[in-house]
Amino acid sequence: MAEQAKCPVCNAPIEPGAAVCGRCGFKLVGQTQQFPHVEMKDGKAVAPSSTYVGTPSLTILKGPNEGQKFNLTSFPLEIGRDPECDLFLNDMTVTRKHASIDIIDNQVVITDLNSLNGTWVDGEVRDNATLSDGTIVQIGTFTMVFNM
């Protein structure tokens, strides 16, 4: 048996064919749907990580392998010159375990792993930084753009 529709505002049961909610008066247009639960942390809404529209990626703009795109599909991931790293950057200017990328509080964050040359984010050396669409990341001779 189909579950009875509920008002998306007050969660009251809605009679079939009703144009407004009998409890709060919310106008019902088209199909009524239930909205996903939004978690709160420190008074702010935190969307689940599955809400990303696309696959986060880093694309090399300048340096060896220019144009290569790395889809970031699992987290955390390590970036470095070590072939065991999730994102392998084969150049002597890159430390063996240079940086890591993880999702923290539903944000994509890059963290430098005490590399020799540092991790540059939008022109500044950073120990860690939140990445957003279009952020420029430089690791050694590799200049990359982060996209969501």
Side-chain angles (χ1 to χ4, degrees), residues 85-98:
C85 286
D86 303 295
L87 203 154
F88 174 55
L89 298 177
N90 191 14
D91 189 85
M92 291 304 294
T93 60
V94 178
T95 304
R96 291 181 70 71
K97 305 261 186 193
H98 197 103

Side-chain angles (χ1 to χ4, degrees), residues 56-132:
S57 66
L58 281 172
T59 304
I60 299 173
L61 299 175
K62 184 177 169 188
N65 304 329
E66 187 174 319
Q68 185 174 3
K69 180 178 178 180
F70 299 96
N71 288 324
L72 311 178
T73 57
S74 64
F75 299 92
L77 62 84
E78 283 187 329
I79 303 170
R81 193 179 76 239
D82 186 333
E84 301 273 320
C85 286
D86 303 295
L87 203 154
F88 174 55
L89 298 177
N90 191 14
D91 189 85
M92 291 304 294
T93 60
V94 178
T95 304
R96 291 181 70 71
K97 305 261 186 193
H98 197 103
S100 67
I101 297 180
D102 202 357
I103 295 181
I104 301 171
D105 293 332
N106 203 43
Q107 295 181 322
V108 181
V109 176
I110 189 166
T111 303
D112 186 81
L113 300 176
N114 298 314
S115 67
L116 185 60
N117 293 323
T119 299
W120 294 70
V121 179
D122 287 335
E124 296 180 21
V125 176
R126 302 289 302 270
D127 290 332
N128 60 24
T130 300
L131 302 178
S132 57

Side-chain angles (χ1 to χ4, degrees), residues 24 29 37 73 93 110 134 137:
C24 71
V29 179
H37 173 73
T73 57
T93 60
I110 189 166
V137 175

